[in-house]
């Protein structure tokens, strides 16, 4: 795709904030902060949103090569990310990373180049070389081997996409600041599709792209995630909620919810050890029942049993 050039900005002028919302995974957060030291271009600031000191690897925070500000607030991915957005200050680009996302060493350098050269980009997400979310998860050693073997791509290799992937998504800060955009806190706990909703609202002010030069690996750590029944409810409730908010088309919502239900049903007899398929299926049916009653809403997950978050 072809994007307009920004002839005024130069490399080094861009201020990049790296943001991580974390819950109950101090070791992963420590690895994420250590990963920053491997970057050929450092972020100007790191913001970490946590719910308490138990979420934080204090040693990694103190030893990080750039200043780290830890913000404490209430639990929930959208709430924690909004706390970060309340501290945008004068940054130009904010990069949200999951605490279990491993960047290639040139990730931030290529991110800067991308946002400097293409002024029409509002949202960018990277090329995930491997994703452990659908399996048992990946180790940091495996991620490093994958990235070492992955070829670098030119910064101009862009694909327009519907939304950024929540494990690594960068936003131009100006439209967020100017329009007081925030993540929807009606998507509680793990959020589930909060990346789609927020990406579409920011994308109203420019292009949303996937950049092959932004390479990384998503480990898919299983700790700190929503229970099966709650996630199953969100798999149905959240897509239809986004339809009402006009950030998802009805056909997309039907395919997404239906695909998840079919996968949960098909695999519930012999579920993967790392996925609570039966719990998810129960949550799916609970959401369908609420949908038929006209009472379905993402916040209903807070009333469901088996909380583990």
């Amino acid at each position: 795709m072809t994007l307009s050039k920004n002839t005024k900005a130069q490399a080094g002028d861009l201020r990049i904030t790296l943001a991580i919302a974390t819950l109950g995974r101090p070791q992963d957060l420590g690895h994420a902060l250590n990963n920053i030291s491997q970057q050929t271009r450092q972020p100007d600031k790191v913001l970490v949103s946590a719910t308490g000191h138990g979420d934080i690897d204090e040693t990694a925070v103190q030893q990080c090569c750039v200043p780290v500000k830890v913000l404490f607030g209430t639990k929930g991915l959208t709430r924690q990310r909004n706390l970060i957005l309340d501290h945008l200050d004068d940054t130009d680009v904010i990069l949200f990373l999951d605490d279990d996302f491993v960047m290639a060493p040139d990730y931030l350098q290529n991110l800067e180049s991308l946002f400097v050269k293409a002024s029409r980009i509002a949202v960018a997400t990277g090329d995930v070389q491997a994703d452990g979310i659908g399996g048992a998860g990946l180790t940091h050693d495996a991620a490093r081997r994958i990235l070492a073997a992955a070829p670098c791509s030119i910064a101009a290799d862009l694909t327009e996409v519907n939304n950024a992937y929540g494990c690594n998504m960068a936003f131009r800060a100006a439209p967020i600041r100017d329009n007081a955009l925030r993540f929807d806190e009606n998507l509680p706990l793990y959020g589930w599709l909060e990346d789609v909703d927020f990406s579409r609202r920011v994308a109203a002010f420019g292009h949303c792209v996937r950049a092959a030069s932004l390479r990384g690996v998503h480990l898919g750590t299983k700790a700190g995630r929503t229970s099966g029944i709650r996630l199953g409810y969100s798999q149905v409730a959240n897509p239809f909620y986004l339809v009402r908010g006009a950030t998802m088309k009805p056909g997309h919502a039907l395919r997404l919810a239906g695909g998840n239900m079919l996968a949960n049903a098909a695999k519930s007899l012999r579920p993967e050890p790392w996925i609570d398929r039966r719990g998810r299926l129960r949550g799916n049916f609970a959401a369908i029942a609420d949908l038929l009653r006209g009472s379905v809403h993402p916040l209903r997950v807070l009333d469901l049993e088996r909380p583990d978050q």
Side-chain angles (χ1 to χ4, degrees), residues 22-30 48-58 70 72 99:
T22 190
L23 175 67
R25 304 198 303 208
Q27 187 173 19
D28 280 308
L29 176 64
V48 173
S49 180
T51 64
H53 289 279
D55 296 337
I56 303 300
D57 182 333
E58 300 285 357
V70 180
F72 292 108
D99 55 18

Side-chain angles (χ1 to χ4, degrees), residues 20-21 25 32 81 96-101 166-168 218 225:
I20 300 173
R25 304 198 303 208
R81 284 179 172 163
F96 283 99
L97 293 183
D98 280 1
D99 55 18
D100 61 345
F101 185 81
C167 63
N168 75 121
H218 185 211
R225 298 191 182 274

Side-chain angles (χ1 to χ4, degrees), residues 125-187:
T125 194
D127 187 3
V128 179
Q129 303 290 306
D131 195 345
I133 198 66
L138 298 168
T139 66
H140 285 86
D141 286 341
R144 284 188 285 269
R145 289 194 298 269
I146 291 166
L147 291 172
C152 299
S153 298
I154 59 173
D157 190 1
L158 304 176
T159 304
E160 192 126 22
V161 293
N162 181 70
N163 59 274
Y165 183 15
C167 63
N168 75 121
M169 49 186 185
F171 301 95
R172 203 173 290 277
I176 297 174
R177 213 167 19 236
D178 295 347
N179 298 278
L181 299 179
R182 292 293 184 269
F183 288 88
D184 189 341
E185 294 186 8
N186 280 323
L187 304 174

Side-chain angles (χ1 to χ4, degrees), residues 205-238:
F205 303 93
H207 292 281
C208 179
V209 302
R210 181 174 63 246
S213 62
L214 306 179
R215 299 171 300 126
V217 172
H218 185 211
L219 302 182
T221 302
K222 305 310 174 190
R225 298 191 182 274
T226 299
S227 68
I229 191 168
R230 284 180 157 181
L231 180 55
Y233 190 94
S234 297
Q235 286 177 331
V236 174
N238 291 19

Side-chain angles (χ1 to χ4, degrees), residues 5 9 15 48 65 78 107 145 155 185 195-196 217 237 282 289:
K5 303 296 184 182
R15 292 155 297 187
V48 173
C65 53
T78 54
Y107 190 107
R145 289 194 298 269
E185 294 186 8
D195 49 358
V196 176
V217 172
R282 287 174 57 199

